[in-house]
Amino acid sequence: MAKINSRSKGQRAERELVKRFSVWWGGEPFFRTPLSGGLATMGHSFKGVEITGDISTPDPNFCFCVEAKHHESWAFEQLFNEKNIIEKWWDQACKQAVSSNKKPLLVFKKNHGPFYAAFIASAIEPQVLIPYNTIKFNGVRSKMTIMLLDDFFSIPKETWL
């Protein structure tokens, strides 16, 4: 069996997300952060845009710091464990969001599976309907809402502005 290059797998997922975010955000250009988010942690700008997270856009109205993960080593059952990789990713997204004054958005998936979005539910206006297949996680260290990325994209972008 061929060895899987996890770096190229992550880059492939980020390229797909760039396209999907651009469609959702009305055709605005999105791009992968150079050095796979490395510049974002150093507080740099690229193409005149302040870099935050793994995916960015020059649109100043985009209010998210996007952290993207494509791993096989997670399961929703891990949320019941004190230490789990999903919360670790969420903590990373939150720290980057705070430093960039944006809202955290964790987007993650497994091979051949759908993308999921984790975000802070209180950022949504009360009249927005949340799909039934949503996980509201209120852990000791973290609070997040998880849903399919497609369901997240069904929430109008104006909700976040």
Side-chain angles (χ1 to χ4, degrees), residues 68-87:
K69 301 292 184 186
H70 184 176
H71 286 268
E72 286 299 302
S73 61
W74 65 270
F76 286 119
E77 295 83 15
Q78 291 175 342
L79 289 171
F80 295 102
N81 298 332
E82 187 174 329
K83 293 183 180 182
N84 66 74
I85 196 163
I86 298 171
E87 274 193 288

Side-chain angles (χ1 to χ4, degrees), residues 93-135:
C94 289
K95 286 176 185 168
Q96 288 182 14
V98 166
S99 68
S100 63
N101 200 27
K102 294 193 176 229
K103 298 172 184 158
L105 178 61
L106 171 64
V107 181
F108 59 102
K109 73 174 286 189
K110 284 187 175 189
N111 290 349
H112 313 293
F115 279 103
Y116 294 92
F119 59 98
I120 298 172
S122 61
I124 296 179
E125 296 177 17
Q127 69 269 21
V128 174
L129 295 176
I130 300 291
Y132 71 92
N133 55 347
T134 299
I135 298 171

Side-chain angles (χ1 to χ4, degrees), residues 30 49-53 55-66 93-105 120:
F30 279 75
V49 178
E50 197 63 33
I51 301 297
T52 61
I55 296 170
S56 295
T57 180
D59 185 346
N61 294 318
F62 188 71
C63 59
F64 294 105
C65 177
V66 181
C94 289
K95 286 176 185 168
Q96 288 182 14
V98 166
S99 68
S100 63
N101 200 27
K102 294 193 176 229
K103 298 172 184 158
L105 178 61
I120 298 172

Side-chain angles (χ1 to χ4, degrees), residues 18-28 30:
V18 162
K19 292 175 191 173
R20 294 181 71 186
F21 272 92
S22 180
V23 168
W24 176 56
W25 207 251
E28 288 291 328
F30 279 75

